Amino acid sequence: MRAAGRGGVEEAMGKREGAVTARGGGGAGRRAGGAPAAAGGGGSPAGRIPGGGAGGAGGAAPPALRGLSIETRGLRVSLDGTEILKGIDLAVRGQRITGVIGPNGSGKSTLLKTFYKAIAPSGGEVLLDGEPVRRIPQKALARQLAVLPQQRESPQGLTVEETVFMGRYPLKGFMGVFTAEDREAVRDAMGRLDLARLADREFSSLSGGERQQVLLARALAQDTPWLLLDEPTNHLDIRSQLRILEFLKDLDKRIVVVFHDLSLASKYCDRLLVMKGGLIVADGTPEEVVTARLLSEVYGVSASIIPHPEVGRPVVIL
């Protein structure tokens, strides 16, 4: 693997560190500048990426999930004079995979961004395990939340393996060097997503679907109890979509994921939040939420709902 000196990963991450630091708390209801540390940045390490292959499995056991929660209380967001979120009270705890669905412009991505401080609320509060996220330093937050945002960045001049190593930066102190544990976490993440064969490829040379998988591996290498995923199956073919979702289903993590495909959301999520016009208009299990009446009221379409032949979850027939 190509070692990353100050002109490679470190230079890129130094720029990211500056963007995060410059953001600070942000003004109420304003878009926060720079990519969030929780998305895989947040440090400016001076060490080189150690050598070694990118395959295999193993690594430390994931953090215990008991007691973890994300809550919102009266959450409001206004952007450019338009109210996007209109007073959301929500608690995510207990469910392994919580899906957020709804038509375009309903506030799904905005809600997710408030969880990791990419957007500051204009009113209300977001809490992680009972603590307001606005009080949590960005690097500390990045040890709890790993993010795959909708707007994907494209690291320039980095290999696939170097890109995945970026997920370890929130765990490093200033002048920190990568350890055997870091190398193992990266090998594990890449091995799980079958990316070892691409380890030395330039990230910029990959297809859209391959990039998606690499950025997901970077989030996994961050080794956080929470994963926040905004449309993780975008740009993937059907086989890759199913492989990713089956993989996520087996993770020992809490996952909040934005979906557009209602049938996939129904099959893989334990709980679904339905958004429309900046509000949560339905909240429950897929069987409770995915109904012909809801699709008519929220999406304005007529549809039939049949049970999945294997798992019994609702399948949408348009």
Side-chain angles (χ1 to χ4, degrees):
M1 183 196 74
R2 176 162 60 85
R6 293 188 181 275
V9 179
E10 294 170 17
E11 180 180 354
M13 294 309 300
K15 294 177 181 178
R16 182 188 298 269
E17 173 87 354
V20 172
T21 303
R23 180 174 69 236
R30 294 171 53 193
R31 295 184 189 272
S44 183
R48 289 172 45 174
I49 294 180
L65 297 182
R66 183 173 300 171
L68 297 175
S69 67
I70 293 176
E71 298 177 67
T72 68
R73 298 176 181 173
L75 182 65
R76 295 180 177 273
V77 169
S78 294
L79 299 173
D80 300 325
T82 300
E83 192 172 35
I84 308 299
L85 300 182
K86 303 176 181 178
I88 291 180
D89 294 303
L90 170 67
V92 180
R93 61 169 71 92
Q95 297 81 17
R96 292 281 297 278
I97 303 181
T98 299
V100 185
I101 60 176
N104 291 338
S106 58
K108 303 183 299 296
S109 295
T110 299
L111 176 64
L112 206 66
K113 287 176 180 179
T114 65
F115 293 172
Y116 60 96
K117 300 202 296 188
I119 289 180
S122 53
E125 196 81 89
V126 179
L127 301 101
L128 176 64
D129 293 336
E131 182 176 1
V133 297
R134 58 183 168 81
R135 297 179 185 170
I136 303 175
Q138 196 70 32
K139 198 164 186 177
L141 190 64
R143 294 190 179 103
Q144 299 298 316
L145 308 173
V147 181
L148 183 64
Q150 186 180 53
Q151 301 296 327
R152 322 286 191 225
E153 60 186 292
S154 298
Q156 298 298 312
L158 303 184
T159 66
V160 165
E161 191 171 28
E162 289 166 348
T163 301
V164 178
F165 260 101
M166 291 168 67
R168 301 300 293 173
Y169 287 146
L171 308 178
K172 304 286 100 182
F174 183 69
M175 299 292 286
V177 296
F178 290 104
T179 65
E181 181 180 358
D182 296 320
R183 293 194 296 272
E184 187 66 21
V186 170
R187 291 191 191 103
D188 183 38
M190 294 183 67
R192 288 181 178 215
L193 290 166
D194 192 28
L195 295 173
R197 57 191 170 80
L198 302 177
D200 295 322
R201 286 269 303 274
E202 291 282 336
F203 179 87
S204 59
S205 72
L206 302 179
S207 69
E210 289 170 333
R211 292 185 187 193
Q212 186 91 323
Q213 293 177 74
V214 172
L215 295 177
L216 178 57
R218 185 182 69 177
L220 292 176
Q222 205 167 320
D223 195 23
T224 59
W226 288 91
L227 279 178
L228 307 180
L229 309 174
D230 198 344
E231 300 185 37
T233 56
N234 266 8
H235 310 300
L236 299 181
D237 58 44
I238 294 175
R239 180 175 180 272
S240 296
Q241 287 182 27
L242 296 178
R243 186 163 64 87
I244 291 284
L245 293 172
E246 288 290 336
F247 167 73
L248 292 175
K249 184 180 70 173
D250 293 333
L251 287 178
D252 193 13
K253 296 179 183 292
R254 293 270 168 80
I255 300 172
V256 181
V257 53
V258 172
F259 271 107
H260 269 300
D261 189 309
L262 300 184
S263 293
L264 288 179
S266 175
K267 181 178 179 182
Y268 288 99
C269 295
D270 304 302
R271 174 187 181 188
L272 290 177
L273 308 174
V274 184
M275 297 191 68
K276 181 180 181 181
L279 297 168
I280 293 176
V281 296
D283 176 3
T285 66
E287 292 83 358
E288 293 169 336
V289 165
V290 181
T291 65
R293 179 177 177 179
L294 179 131
L295 291 178
S296 176
E297 293 176 350
V298 173
Y299 291 90
V301 298
S302 297
S304 298
I305 308 298
I306 63 172
H308 190 283
E310 295 179 359
V311 297
R313 297 285 185 89
V315 175
V316 177
I317 305 297
L318 296 175

